[in-house]
Amino acid sequence: MEKMKVDGYDAVIIGGGLSGLMASIWLTTKGRHVAVVSKGDPMCCLSTGCIDVLGHTDSPLKDIRKLPSSHPYRMIGQDTIKEALAFFKEVMEGIGLHYTGDPSRNAEILTPVGTPKTTCLVPSTMRIMSNLEDEYLHVVSFKGLKDFYPSYIISRNKNANFSIFDMGVYNTMGLAHAFEEKAFLGRFIRRIRELEISDARIAVPAVLGLRSPERIMEEIRLETEKDIFEIPTLPPSIPGLRLFRGLKQALLEKGGQIYWGKEIASVEKTGNKVEAITLAGEGKPTRVHGKTFLLSTGSFISGGLYATRESKAYETVFDLPVYMPDKRHKWFNDDFFKTGHPIERAGILVRESFRPKDNDIDNLFVSGSILAFSEIMKYQCGHGLAISTGVAAAKQMDGFLK
Amino acid sequence: MMFEHCIRCNICTENCPVFRVNKKFPGPKQAGPDAQRFRMDGEESVDSWVELCLQCKRCEVSCPYGVNVSEIILKAQIKYRQEHKKPLTSFIFANTYYMGLINSQFAPLVNRVGQTGAGKTVAHAIGISTKLPLPQYHVLTLSRSRSKVGKGERKVVFFYGCYLNFNRPDLGRTIRDMLARMGIEVVLPNQVCCGLPALGNGDIDTARRFATKNTTILSGYIDRGYSVVYACTSCGLALTRDYPGILDVPNGKKVAENTYNVHEYILKLMEEGYWEPEFGQVNMKIAYHIPCHLKAIGIGYPAARLFSMIPGLEYHVLDDNCCGLAGSYGFKTKNEETATELGSIASASILSLEPDALVTDCGACKMQLGHLTGLKTLDPAEVISASLK
């Protein structure tokens, strides 16, 4: 029998968002020992769960070449993006959450205000629609549910109608939990059967279960013989939570470790290598040491970057040099609602290998929205960029470890 | 971080177990940072619902901005308790340690009475839920067992806590002996309750008294080169976070800095090459339910890392659900419904894996989920121990 020794992790992923989780899952499929360190839950749990690859176009994959050459997508290229998105779909399928859609063309889904949202990969609980404005719809919402008012949808669609069910539960989290219960689901199905609607599809806010939405929807379809789909809601967003929890669970199932809830207090380096990071706490700091490190801490909103009043920006873990577009007064467009604020370009500049530029550390890699020039709001590419750069960086890390 | 740092993103709400099942609780965002703006010194509390929070810390762990959500709520709970008449249950559960001392003296009698109809009626009358079988007591507690085992260069103090001491001394001895076999000296000095039950029942003075007593004992050992090792993850949270934090007791920081989860300590021994085990085959499929407080300590899941080295062992880590019992929370009749509902969510996840056994570190999780799933319930140390035989 072999004597066991414990060594550092092959890869330490800093930031448990979409990018970090995808990178870590990809690495575990290569047999790597991975740890994720996450200060809090990521922004993707507030999202719709849809994967935007590139907005303002019909064919996202093809139009990546139209992006400025500084955009991180251009570094990866179409094939890797396609591969990364296919890998994402495969991982999600493994945990029972199927995605529809194809990165070669964009899709539209319905939002709670009745407008179309352009996106690319869509959870199978939602519906890709082509004729939003005249599809026969019956919106079913729940009494007391905030931020979801069917009249917005009705006002834009002449063929839509609505009902409000009082089910005794008044928020998305509570409803999602209740739908997992047989009795509640049965009650809902009876209410649907009582509706007098002929061939209209049923649209509901996205609350049809947290753990097993696909099974729940299938049961509703079978029992009512009606087609039903979900419309994403404002946070607490169940589809966002399904996405995050699903990926996290996939990582745990593949033997990945996760260190929750602590900020990074310090970084240990020897020569041009990062050796370990230590997590802050009231007591003894926890040391996580590894052979490679991925920085996927996100941009300003997630705390990966921090800006001061003096027009300076810091990268919060390694203090890497941050590319900043201009002085503070030029960070924003005069018109707030005009996308493409210059500040969106801020971030870490990397080489082809996803290692930071102007820096001599050679086992540190960067992915996700912290990358300079990603401009995820302007190009509407947040989740797609997170997934593809995560996988692309993970490949580089795997290569480095060989 | 202060409540002002909250950007109201609702990630904490997504993680709150109580909010999901009890509509009387407005969720951590509202109970914490939102309501904090209206809580002023010298003004009486009006928010009786703060007591519905079970202090799992999931809100705080999930907050991307580092807001101390559960601590804000805990302080409001303490304030509320100080202003209002203490129900008998709060007094009893704050002092579970003394209950344990008395009950273990008369263990056979107490265990039998607890199961009788009359015993249950009395319990119910004072607000103690009898949905779960009450924990069993033992005459031969851990504190009355051998207090020094093993020899070696490395030395540890085992902080075992009330559950192992009074209710599962057999498991305590398994952990003690497992550590000794790794070539370390294990001592089990006199110690009192970690103080978390008192804190959870709004009695910060009692909690501080317990903590001070423990830090005095433990700090003496630390000075002589011992590390502190805990197995109960709630005791662990108290030692490493509340002692230097909200309780702020003398030597609290020193104790926190020298305290390890038992599996974290084993990994440390392995990492430093002090102990090189040969793990034997354990042919079993287990569901490893992560206690909320282990998640909150922020050391990862060290036992899972050890499981990955055991040949034949199929393990699944589950860290999304609170068992609902939360120490004494679910033992109060007023929380019975919430606790049972949460327990059923957690047990559904576990049962869907069809495991041979349920494994979890925390005593409350063991009682609640062992009962609800009907599965054989083990401590991670029992799995590791089995692999070392």
Side-chain angles (χ1 to χ4, degrees):
Chain A
M1 208 179 301
E2 203 188 341
K3 295 214 175 215
M4 291 301 290
K5 279 195 87 155
V6 174
D7 224 356
Y9 295 100
D10 293 323
V12 177
I13 313 292
I14 306 165
L18 195 47
S19 199
L21 286 173
M22 284 308 294
S24 56
I25 295 169
W26 194 89
L27 284 161
T28 56
T29 63
K30 299 289 161 206
R32 303 291 180 195
H33 291 287
V34 182
V36 170
V37 176
S38 188
K39 187 173 76 167
D41 284 9
M43 286 301 136
C44 70
C45 30
L46 301 174
S47 76
T48 60
C50 296
I51 310 297
D52 298 353
V53 175
L54 186 67
H56 318 296
T57 166
D58 290 331
S59 13
L61 212 50
K62 206 173 89 210
D63 283 352
I64 275 161
R65 65 190 156 87
K66 291 186 187 159
L67 290 170
S69 60
S70 52
H71 195 277
Y73 263 156
R74 292 288 302 274
M75 262 170 53
I76 322 172
Q78 269 192 47
D79 289 345
T80 308
I81 297 170
K82 205 168 154 183
E83 185 198 327
L85 293 169
F87 177 66
F88 165 79
K89 271 178 136 176
E90 188 190 309
V91 171
M92 293 309 283
E93 252 170 63
I95 44 185
L97 294 170
H98 293 75
Y99 271 74
T100 56
D102 175 347
S104 61
R105 59 176 180 275
N106 266 334
E108 279 184 351
I109 61 157
L110 188 63
T111 70
V113 286
T115 53
K117 171 189 159 55
T118 306
T119 183
C120 192
L121 305 184
V122 178
S124 66
T125 61
M126 294 175 198
R127 189 175 139 70
I128 296 174
M129 296 164 80
S130 46
N131 47 347
L132 281 172
E133 267 157 38
D134 39 36
E135 182 153 4
Y136 284 85
L137 283 185
H138 193 89
V139 184
V140 171
S141 187
F142 302 91
K143 195 184 167 191
L145 189 63
K146 287 190 289 181
D147 304 324
F148 193 93
Y149 304 104
S151 32
Y152 285 131
I153 298 169
I154 311 301
S155 71
R156 289 172 195 270
N157 180 331
K158 56 187 184 311
N159 297 324
N161 217 323
F162 76 97
S163 306
I164 304 284
F165 291 178
D166 184 355
M167 302 290 286
V169 185
Y170 308 104
N171 59 68
T172 55
M173 287 302 297
L175 283 161
H177 159 60
F179 266 102
E180 299 277 354
E181 286 180 341
K182 258 197 154 57
F184 186 92
L185 180 57
R187 217 149 43 91
F188 179 77
I189 289 171
R190 277 198 297 283
R191 295 290 301 272
I192 295 278
R193 282 206 194 116
E194 287 162 15
L195 291 175
E196 288 189 15
I197 43 170
S198 49
D199 50 356
R201 284 203 167 82
I202 294 170
V204 286
V207 295
L208 301 178
L210 186 52
R211 241 169 13 101
S212 38
E214 293 184 9
R215 177 189 58 78
I216 291 165
M217 292 185 79
E218 196 46 42
E219 197 165 331
I220 298 172
R221 281 191 193 114
L222 279 174
E223 295 287 322
T224 65
E225 292 175 358
K226 290 259 178 291
D227 199 10
I228 184 167
F229 69 94
E230 288 187 321
I231 299 172
T233 67
L234 289 181
S237 163
I238 305 301
L241 203 52
R242 285 176 198 147
L243 168 67
F244 165 61
R245 293 230 174 135
L247 289 175
K248 181 220 64 178
Q249 204 54 39
L251 176 64
L252 288 175
E253 281 293 309
K254 290 179 161 65
Q257 267 282 342
I258 310 182
Y259 295 76
W260 293 108
K262 296 281 186 254
E263 268 187 68
I264 290 167
S266 63
V267 175
E268 270 173 53
K269 278 187 255 180
T270 49
N272 47 4
K273 277 203 167 39
V274 178
E275 291 286 339
I277 48 163
T278 43
L279 305 177
E282 277 82 354
K284 101 194 121 47
T286 300
R287 183 171 178 271
V288 186
H289 97 254
K291 299 187 184 88
T292 57
F293 290 79
L294 177 68
L295 184 73
S296 52
T297 45
S299 185
F300 294 102
I301 184 143
S302 304
L305 298 176
Y306 182 80
T308 68
R309 296 224 159 263
E310 293 74 40
S311 305
K312 280 208 137 185
Y314 295 96
E315 182 279 303
T316 51
V317 179
F318 296 97
D319 199 14
L320 295 174
V322 178
Y323 165 81
M324 283 301 276
D326 212 324
K327 290 270 176 250
R328 195 179 179 97
H329 66 279
K330 291 199 174 155
W331 285 356
F332 301 96
N333 297 330
D334 290 340
D335 178 1
F336 183 76
F337 291 103
K338 196 172 159 250
T339 54
H341 296 283
I343 186 69
E344 271 200 72
R345 280 174 234 145
I348 309 298
L349 292 164
V350 290
R351 307 169 223 205
E352 295 274 300
S353 57
F354 281 89
R355 279 157 46 201
K357 271 186 185 166
D358 308 317
N359 192 289
D360 57 358
I361 305 175
D362 61 14
N363 63 341
L364 175 64
F365 300 79
V366 187
S367 79
S369 60
I370 195 173
L371 292 168
F373 295 105
S374 34
E375 296 186 87
I376 59 174
M377 302 284 277
K378 180 176 173 184
Y379 297 118
Q380 207 199 324
C381 64
H383 281 9
L385 182 109
I387 293 169
S388 353
T389 56
V391 171
K395 283 184 166 186
Q396 297 287 340
M397 293 166 81
D398 188 51
F400 181 90
L401 286 163
K402 272 175 190 160
Chain B
M1 285 276 194
M2 311 287 292
F3 70 90
E4 291 98 331
H5 289 100
C6 170
I7 66 154
R8 292 168 173 78
C9 70
N10 265 313
I11 280 183
C12 57
T13 314
E14 290 186 346
N15 280 280
C16 177
V18 179
F19 180 72
R20 269 207 262 179
V21 300
N22 187 343
K23 51 180 173 264
K24 290 195 194 109
F25 186 59
K29 177 178 80 74
Q30 285 193 37
D34 284 2
Q36 193 60 21
R37 293 182 295 164
F38 303 102
R39 294 186 185 117
M40 285 193 248
D41 286 344
E43 272 188 33
E44 208 181 312
S45 314
V46 289
D47 41 6
S48 64
W49 39 256
V50 285
E51 296 216 312
L52 295 173
C53 161
L54 46 66
Q55 286 293 328
C56 66
K57 319 280 181 196
R58 285 180 180 269
C59 49
E60 207 156 304
V61 173
S62 64
C63 178
Y65 302 97
V67 178
N68 55 344
V69 191
S70 54
E71 197 173 305
I72 293 170
I73 301 174
L74 180 61
K75 284 178 179 161
Q77 288 176 326
I78 293 168
K79 184 166 179 282
Y80 185 86
R81 260 305 122 232
Q82 282 166 346
E83 292 162 4
H84 294 77
K85 208 175 134 246
K86 219 170 260 176
L88 186 56
T89 44
S90 288
F91 176 77
I92 292 174
F93 290 127
N95 293 284
T96 40
Y97 172 69
Y98 296 111
M99 295 291 296
L101 279 185
I102 299 163
N103 288 348
S104 57
Q105 295 284 352
F106 308 103
L109 183 67
V110 170
N111 293 339
R112 213 165 309 148
V113 170
Q115 282 162 3
T116 61
K120 284 187 179 174
T121 311
V122 173
H124 221 84
I126 55 175
I128 297 175
S129 164
T130 49
K131 270 206 140 174
L132 273 186
L134 293 171
Q136 296 282 298
Y137 289 90
H138 299 267
V139 177
L140 183 60
T141 58
L142 211 48
S143 55
R144 294 196 194 106
S145 310
R146 268 181 71 191
S147 62
K148 191 177 161 197
V149 183
K151 260 196 211 121
E153 197 189 309
R154 299 285 170 93
K155 299 179 283 188
V156 297
V157 187
F158 183 19
F159 189 89
Y160 41 74
C162 297
Y163 178 75
L164 290 181
N165 188 25
F166 299 123
N167 307 120
R168 287 294 307 276
D170 60 316
L171 175 57
R173 289 187 282 267
T174 303
I175 297 170
R176 177 194 69 186
D177 298 343
M178 176 182 77
L179 285 170
R181 280 214 306 276
M182 296 172 186
I184 52 181
E185 183 191 316
V186 189
V187 293
L188 294 74
N190 277 327
Q191 48 189 280
V192 293
C193 170
C194 69
L196 201 74
L199 202 54
N201 283 286
D203 189 349
I204 194 165
D205 296 332
T206 303
R208 207 166 263 146
R209 246 190 335 270
F210 281 136
T212 310
K213 191 144 192 210
N214 285 327
T215 47
T216 311
I217 300 163
L218 297 175
S219 126
Y221 277 96
I222 292 165
D223 288 340
R224 282 177 282 142
Y226 287 78
S227 297
V228 181
V229 162
Y230 63 84
C232 167
T233 45
S234 292
C235 294
L237 189 72
L239 291 172
T240 58
R241 203 163 92 168
D242 295 333
Y243 282 17
I246 187 170
L247 295 177
D248 193 20
V249 289
N251 290 318
K253 183 126 184 95
K254 179 165 148 194
V255 168
E257 281 170 353
N258 288 283
T259 298
Y260 297 83
N261 170 282
V262 57
H263 307 293
E264 181 192 14
Y265 190 79
I266 295 172
L267 284 170
K268 182 177 139 76
L269 292 180
M270 291 172 72
E271 202 157 344
E272 290 164 1
Y274 186 86
W275 181 61
E276 291 180 357
E278 290 176 18
F279 288 114
Q281 196 92 6
V282 176
N283 292 317
M284 205 171 18
K285 177 177 174 182
I286 58 170
Y288 182 26
H289 168 88
I290 303 290
C292 302
H293 287 174
L294 173 58
K295 195 171 176 180
I297 294 170
I299 51 169
Y301 308 145
R305 223 174 149 190
L306 291 167
F307 292 160
S308 72
M309 301 173 202
I310 298 176
L313 183 70
E314 180 184 339
Y315 70 99
H316 300 272
V317 179
L318 299 165
D319 69 349
D320 284 332
N321 298 313
C322 171
C323 78
L325 193 58
S328 56
Y329 181 90
F331 274 120
K332 295 175 187 167
T333 40
K334 59 174 183 173
N335 299 326
E336 205 176 79
E337 214 176 307
T338 304
T340 312
E341 187 109 15
L342 291 176
S344 68
I345 299 176
S347 44
S349 282
I350 293 162
L351 289 170
S352 72
L353 294 165
E354 298 179 0
D356 302 324
L358 157 69
V359 176
T360 187
D361 309 64
C362 163
C365 298
K366 279 190 189 99
M367 284 191 267
Q368 170 91 334
L369 299 175
H371 176 73
L372 291 174
T373 61
L375 289 168
K376 180 162 100 175
T377 306
L378 300 171
D379 187 88
E382 289 176 291
V383 179
I384 293 158
S385 241
S387 163
L388 291 171
K389 262 170 197 152

